[in-house]
Amino acid sequence: MGSVLVEATILYMSTRHNPAQVLHEAATVYKVNTDAIALKVKQEFTAKEKARAEKKPPVEATLAKKGGSAKKAA
């Protein structure tokens, strides 16, 4: 019950003050390594973007399969 009260207080304070500062201070108090989390999230987003780019075929290859050309489409 106590941890719920603490979390509610942190959320309430983040709505009344600078949210980034309040959350950063709370992370510091609870010894959360925000830099490691930020790095992990950045790596995951980079991997997702790379996978998305590999799945998407180039426009010219798509038009060539359909029998058209890039100049006709423009």
Side-chain angles (χ1 to χ4, degrees):
M1 182 75 170
S3 63
V4 173
L5 184 59
V6 170
E7 291 174 10
T9 304
I10 291 170
L11 290 174
Y12 175 74
M13 291 299 292
S14 69
T15 61
R16 299 290 179 208
H17 301 287
N18 182 1
Q21 182 182 2
V22 171
L23 294 175
H24 181 72
E25 289 174 0
T28 302
V29 169
Y30 288 101
K31 297 179 178 137
V32 175
N33 189 350
T34 56
D35 294 331
I37 295 170
L39 179 63
K40 180 76 172 173
V41 169
K42 184 177 178 181
Q43 289 173 346
E44 287 179 14
F45 275 111
T46 303
K48 286 180 183 179
E49 285 296 320
K50 186 176 178 182
R52 187 175 296 142
E54 289 175 359
K55 287 182 180 180
K56 190 174 185 181
V59 174
E60 292 177 8
T62 305
L63 290 174
K65 288 181 180 179
K66 292 182 179 178
S69 68
K71 291 181 182 178
K72 286 183 182 179

